[in-house]
Each structure stands twice: as C-alpha cells, then as structure tokens.
Amino acid sequence: MNDILREAEQKMDKSVEATREEFATIRAGRANPSMFNKIVVDYYGSPTPLQSLATFTSQDARVILIAPYDQGAMDAIERAVRDSDLGVNPSNDGRVLRCAFPELTEERRKEYIKLAKGKAEDGRISVRNVRRTAKQSLEKLEKDGEVGKDDVAGAEKRLDALTKTHTDHIDEMLKKKEAELLEV
C-alpha cells in the first residue's frame, strides 16, 4: 500500500511540475527565455529543440536576443519562431535574431488567463487520474485479500489528502499567474 501511495505522490508531483512548465510558456508582462522552451526547429531535417541550438539574452523587459551556435540554422530558427504561437516577428541582423514582444492588450491578457485556466484544469485532471489509478490498485489489493478494509480506508484518506494538496498547489500557481497577467 505504501508503494502505491509513494508512486501516486511521485506522479502527482510530476503533474504539478508539468503544469508549472506550461505556465512558464505563457507570456506575462516580461519576456523570458522559457517562453521558447516548446519551440522545435527543423535543423538539417531533424526536429531539434530551439534551446539546444542557440543562447538567449534578455535585452530589456520586452526584447529577447537569440544567438544561434550555427549561423547556418538562422533561417530555420527564424521560421520556427515566426510560426510559433508567441506572436512575434523576429528581425534578423545576420548574427542574432531580435524578438520584440508587443505590449499586452487587455483582450490578450484575458486570452492568456483563459489559457492558464485551461492548463491548470489539465493539471488537476492529471492529478485526479493518478488518484483514480491508485485507488483502483488499493481496491484490487483489498479484493485479493492482501489487506483489510480498514487499511484500504486509511490509505484512501491519505490518497485524498495527497490529491487535495497537489490540486491546491496547482490552484495557487494559477492565482499567481493570473495576478502576473493582470499586472500592468
């Protein structure tokens, strides 16, 4: 039973971490390199994460400079950034790509908040799916006669507490992201 609970907690931790990474890709007021984490570049025929092809520097709050390690990949990187959902049009000066992020409008902020709520709900669903799987495993142990009904009831209470802790953590991250997005 303890193994089932430990495994469920690890999976729930991963769900919370995945949600945190999703939130990092949503742009608030400031531009940051983690916004480029999900971009994949067609590098000599193979899909390669942008993070492994270039360095990122933040020139100011709304400008990110992308300096490719291989100048031959410049056009592919520029195309991938332009085609991404970041909404920027990078300018190429031959050495670096300059990505200037426009100021967020009220409408765009609301869209980002909706997006953040969707990602938070996905995280909560993931945590609840882990809970369901663990609960089924506990019920199977009881059905097979390996543990008693009281033991399973106690384990389910601990499982419910774990679930609540993790979903509350996701809700807290959502509140912070909403506050960050509404900040002008």
Side-chain angles (χ1 to χ4, degrees):
M1 277 194 328
N2 287 335
D3 290 344
I4 292 171
L5 291 174
R6 200 172 314 116
E7 182 181 342
E9 184 174 16
Q10 288 172 347
K11 287 181 179 177
M12 287 179 186
D13 287 343
K14 287 180 184 172
S15 296
V16 169
E17 191 53 41
T19 304
R20 177 179 289 116
E21 289 172 9
E22 288 292 329
F23 281 165
T25 63
I26 299 174
R27 177 178 159 236
R30 301 184 63 81
N32 63 348
S34 66
M35 296 164 61
F36 296 91
N37 285 350
K38 299 260 186 246
I39 297 179
V40 178
V41 178
D42 184 24
Y43 184 61
Y44 294 111
S46 65
T48 310
L50 177 55
Q51 302 290 52
S52 62
L53 294 176
T55 58
F56 299 85
T57 14
S58 191
Q59 192 174 21
D60 61 44
R62 292 187 8 229
V63 178
I64 296 268
L65 299 178
I66 303 173
Y69 301 126
D70 175 11
Q71 293 300 320
M74 181 77 80
D75 292 336
I77 291 172
E78 184 176 0
R79 196 173 315 109
V81 171
R82 187 174 297 118
D83 295 346
S84 73
D85 60 355
L86 290 176
V88 294
N89 193 12
S91 62
N92 182 346
D93 71 2
R95 287 190 344 246
V96 295
L97 290 173
R98 180 171 279 102
C99 298
F101 290 87
E103 196 67 44
L104 287 178
T105 63
E106 186 69 26
E107 185 179 313
R108 193 75 172 136
R109 288 175 195 277
K110 287 179 181 172
E111 283 177 30
Y112 281 148
I113 288 173
K114 265 189 205 168
L115 183 66
K117 286 180 178 178
K119 290 183 186 301
E121 184 57 30
D122 291 345
R124 288 190 293 266
I125 289 170
S126 176
V127 168
R128 289 192 299 263
N129 286 341
V130 170
R131 178 192 174 278
R132 184 182 333 109
T133 304
K135 188 173 170 135
Q136 289 170 347
S137 299
L138 291 171
E139 289 169 352
K140 186 178 184 317
L141 285 178
E142 181 185 351
K143 186 178 152 198
D144 294 345
E146 294 180 35
V147 293
K149 193 171 192 152
D150 292 343
D151 293 334
V152 170
E156 283 181 0
K157 281 184 181 173
R158 292 200 322 252
L159 183 62
D160 288 345
L162 275 176
T163 304
K164 181 170 176 20
T165 303
H166 286 82
T167 55
D168 288 351
H169 194 70
I170 290 173
D171 291 341
E172 194 61 39
M173 290 189 312
L174 176 62
K175 279 183 193 166
K176 286 181 184 172
K177 193 63 177 183
E178 281 181 351
E180 192 179 312
L181 284 166
L182 291 173
E183 191 178 292
V184 177

